């Protein structure tokens, strides 16, 4: 008896990183998965993004858990393409219960020196892309009449001002606001909307040369030493599974009345003083 | 929660009993503490010795071990005795649910000295005393730990007519935030759970109905209009599921969180 038996979960950014981790954690508890990823680089994101091979690997690992999975390439900036992918997945798996709006990018720069492209790509993917994901799924949830759970991947940068990630911070704050408005619109349908707000997670998004360079280090250990100073707990970053465990709580009926929550998984980041 | 020991204050009935059962279901052994007495300024019933005995029976029905002791969270010596007895039986303590709490009502400037003082002593100082009773042990054990404080949505919002309750429930959040800066180095996590109205004897009584509109129906209608998901209250299991998440290793890096279980109360704008 899994905590997600009979449920269908849609996950954007599912090719690798946190998205793949959520797919596996939820599938491990009985869910079937609709996995969406753009599988393409974004010029202003200074690191390689996920590929079609990555998405295929997510498919393989979910199928190894004896769950069904529908995987489609779609870019959250393209509402029509995203909607088509969502509808195909729902059509094949029969219904939709949970939406993990997880797709996102990261780039760095002082706020006043960001290029138009850096700013626009960040807002288009990390904020508008989340809105597109909700546009593409909420009508189905409402029509089904069986409620639902929407989990938006925000960040500690959605609650506090992290230096040199101004566009990222704006977008991650923005989705918190979007969540709060949605609570006032969809609660009547028993659809819950929450954010998960992780601190740094040990994934390709941060473990790359560009990120190291920005913090004036050139290796993982020194990078880790920098990030450990942000947490009250003696760690540099959390693991993907720590975010997935929070997502599982929010996706399951264990949290049936939890809505409007910013669930931060942050090793004390938001509360650290000094 | 296999292999874990959880100390729960206010465990005779209501949310406390529910947490004991949910954690025990997942494998925990329990130290259950309750005043098993009434406090004069509280206008509804409180847990009794019979209630605590029933909690014991129900935990034992789940094939878990339980140590139950009468203790008033206003009395550090009584709390320490309960902790010591639990340690003798189980050898360690991994989780504290600082859940014991009272309610009383009155306009802020009309609350009596005694109402105010009882509220602070139980809902705020009692939480501090409970934490004091277990933290030295948790630190010495060197295996981390999880402290879950029962705050309230009144800890993040200001509902009228319960100013002292609101102050105490806000205050334990401040206490949590300081503790995070003190005990994280020991991998001890401190979080609050913040419920909206929960369907327990604390709200299902004439005094609370009076406070919230007059009758049981009016109380239900009021809170249903305040919550975003149109329910008048949540059930104890909803809080226990949140406590379970925070008590378990699934939340091993979650600390300093105010976990709202509120049917959208904290986010809703407008009524109806």
């Amino acid at each position: 008896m899994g905590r997600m038996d009979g449920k269908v979960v849609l996950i954007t950014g599912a090719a690798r990183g946190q998205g793949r981790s959520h797919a596996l954690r939820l599938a491990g508890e009985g869910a079937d998965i609709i996995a969406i990823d753009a599988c393409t680089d974004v010029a202003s994101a200074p690191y390689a993004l996920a590929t079609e091979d990555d998405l295929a690997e997510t498919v393989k690992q979910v199928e190894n858990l004896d769950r069904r999975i529908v995987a489609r390439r779609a870019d959250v900036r393209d509402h029509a393409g995203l909607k088509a992918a969502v509808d195909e997945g729902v059509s094949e798996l029969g219904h939709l219960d949970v939406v993990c709006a997880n797709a996102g990018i990261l780039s760095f720069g002082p706020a006043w020196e960001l290029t138009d492209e850096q700013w626009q790509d960040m807002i288009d993917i990390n904020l508008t892309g989340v809105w597109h994901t909700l546009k593409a799924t909420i009508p189905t949830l409402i029509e089904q009449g069986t409620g639902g759970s929407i989990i938006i991947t925000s960040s500690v940068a959605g609650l506090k001002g992290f230096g040199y990630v101004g566009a990222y911070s704006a977008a991650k704050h923005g989705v918190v606001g979007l969540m709060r408005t949605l609570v006032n619109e969809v609660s009547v349908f028993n659809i819950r909307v929450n954010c998960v707000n992780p601190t740094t997670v040990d994934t390709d998004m941060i473990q790359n040369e560009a990120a190291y360079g920005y913090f004036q280090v050139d290796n993982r250990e020194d990078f880790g030493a920098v990030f450990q100073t942000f947490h009250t707990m003696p760690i540099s970053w959390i693991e993907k599974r720590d975010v997935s465990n929070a997502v599982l709580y929010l996706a399951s009926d264990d949290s049936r009345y939890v809505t409007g929550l910013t669930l931060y998984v942050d090793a004390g980041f938001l509360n650290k003083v000094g | 929660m296999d292999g874990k020991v959880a100390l729960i204050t206010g465990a005779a009935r209501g949310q406390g009993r529910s947490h004991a059962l949910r954690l025990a279901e997942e494998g925990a052994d329990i130290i259950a503490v309750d005043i098993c007495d009434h406090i004069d300024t509280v206008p509804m019933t409180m847990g009794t010795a019979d209630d605590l005995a029933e909690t014991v029976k129900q935990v034992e029905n789940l094939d878990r071990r339980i140590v139950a002791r009468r203790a008033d969270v206003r009395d550090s010596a009584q709390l320490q005795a309960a902790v010591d007895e639990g340690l003798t039986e189980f050898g360690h303590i991994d989780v504290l649910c600082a859940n014991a709490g009272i309610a009383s009502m009155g306009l802020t400037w009309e609350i009596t000295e005694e109402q105010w003082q009882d509220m602070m002593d139980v809902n705020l100082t009692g939480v501090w005393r409970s934490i004091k009773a277990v933290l030295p042990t948790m630190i010495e054990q060197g295996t981390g730990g999880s402290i879950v404080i029962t705050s309230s949505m009144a800890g993040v919002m200001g509902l009228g007519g319960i100013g002292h309750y609101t102050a105490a429930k806000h205050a334990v959040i401040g206490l949590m935030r300081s503790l995070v800066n003190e005990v994280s180095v020991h991998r001890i996590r401190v979080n609050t759970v913040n419920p909206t109205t929960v369907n327990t004897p604390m709200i299902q009584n004439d005094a609370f109905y009076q406070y919230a509109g007059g009758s049981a129906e009016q109380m239900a209608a009021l809170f249903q209009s305040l919550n975003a998901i149109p329910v008048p209250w949540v059930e104890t299991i909803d809080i226990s599921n949140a406590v379970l998440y925070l008590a378990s290793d699934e939340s091993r890096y979650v600390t300093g969180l105010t976990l709202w279980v509120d049917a959208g109360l904290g986010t809703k704008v407008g009524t109806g």
Side-chain angles (χ1 to χ4, degrees), chain B residues 77-147:
Chain B
Q78 289 182 17
L79 281 169
Q80 199 58 58
V83 167
D84 291 346
E85 193 179 323
L87 281 174
T88 301
E89 176 76 22
F90 298 125
H92 56 100
I93 293 177
D94 308 289
V95 176
L96 166 65
C97 297
N99 163 82
I102 59 169
S104 62
M105 288 76 74
L107 292 169
T108 297
W109 66 97
E110 292 180 352
I111 294 168
T112 66
E113 284 286 338
E114 208 190 350
Q115 278 182 299
W116 179 273
Q117 200 57 52
D118 285 347
M119 185 63 68
M120 293 307 131
D121 288 349
V122 176
N123 287 23
L124 173 54
T125 310
V127 168
W128 173 66
R129 290 189 187 284
S130 303
I131 291 168
K132 258 171 81 89
V134 303
L135 250 187
T137 296
M138 277 186 182
I139 291 171
E140 200 183 306
Q141 284 169 176
T143 48
S146 176
I147 296 172

Side-chain angles (χ1 to χ4, degrees), chain A residues 4-243:
Chain A
M4 297 295 296
D5 281 348
K7 305 273 189 182
V8 175
V9 181
L10 179 135
I11 303 168
T12 63
R16 65 178 195 187
Q18 293 180 49
R20 180 192 289 175
S21 178
H22 302 339
L24 296 176
R25 187 74 180 91
L26 297 171
E29 289 288 335
D32 290 326
I33 307 293
I34 304 169
I36 290 180
D37 206 284
C39 302
T40 188
D41 282 347
V42 171
S44 65
Y47 58 103
L49 299 187
T51 65
E52 286 195 79
D53 284 349
D54 289 324
L55 189 56
E57 179 63 23
T58 295
V59 169
K60 181 158 154 256
Q61 291 192 24
V62 168
E63 287 178 343
N64 281 348
L65 295 170
D66 281 319
R67 301 307 324 159
R68 294 182 300 165
I69 176 167
V70 172
R72 292 288 182 274
R73 269 186 91 164
D75 190 323
V76 295
R77 292 173 289 186
D78 166 28
H79 176 255
L82 180 60
K83 180 98 179 90
V86 168
D87 290 347
E88 276 177 51
V90 174
S91 171
E92 190 165 327
L93 296 177
H95 58 101
L96 180 64
D97 303 286
V98 178
V99 177
C100 295
N102 164 81
I105 60 166
L106 176 61
S107 57
F108 300 96
W112 68 98
E113 290 181 0
L114 296 171
T115 65
D116 279 357
E117 199 186 3
Q118 280 180 303
W119 179 270
Q120 200 59 53
D121 286 346
M122 185 64 69
I123 302 307
D124 287 350
I125 294 170
N126 289 23
L127 177 52
T128 308
V130 168
W131 174 62
H132 282 160
T133 305
L134 304 182
K135 255 173 86 82
T137 53
I138 286 176
T140 298
L141 294 178
I142 292 174
E143 200 184 304
Q144 285 171 170
T146 47
S149 176
I150 295 170
I151 300 143
I152 299 168
T153 302
S154 174
S155 168
V156 289
L159 295 169
K160 254 199 182 172
F162 206 126
Y164 307 107
V165 291
Y168 182 86
S169 187
K172 292 300 189 181
H173 273 69
V175 298
V176 173
L178 186 58
M179 169 193 68
R180 289 176 177 156
T181 287
L182 274 164
V183 165
N184 283 286
E185 296 175 5
V186 302
S187 292
V188 65
F189 303 113
N190 242 324
I191 297 168
R192 308 183 288 106
V193 194
N194 296 286
C195 285
V196 62
N197 301 65
T199 182
T200 36
V201 186
D202 189 8
T203 71
D204 293 325
M205 181 179 269
I206 63 161
Q207 301 294 2
N208 59 74
E209 275 181 36
Y212 293 174
Y214 208 82
F215 287 88
Q216 285 147 350
V217 300
D218 61 10
N219 64 84
R220 182 185 163 94
E221 287 65 41
D222 290 345
F223 196 51
V226 172
F227 278 94
Q228 185 154 324
T229 66
F230 299 146
H231 302 122
T232 58
M233 294 186 76
I235 61 166
S236 303
W237 34 65
I238 61 175
E239 301 297 326
K240 295 169 295 217
R241 75 181 229 233
D242 297 301
V243 191

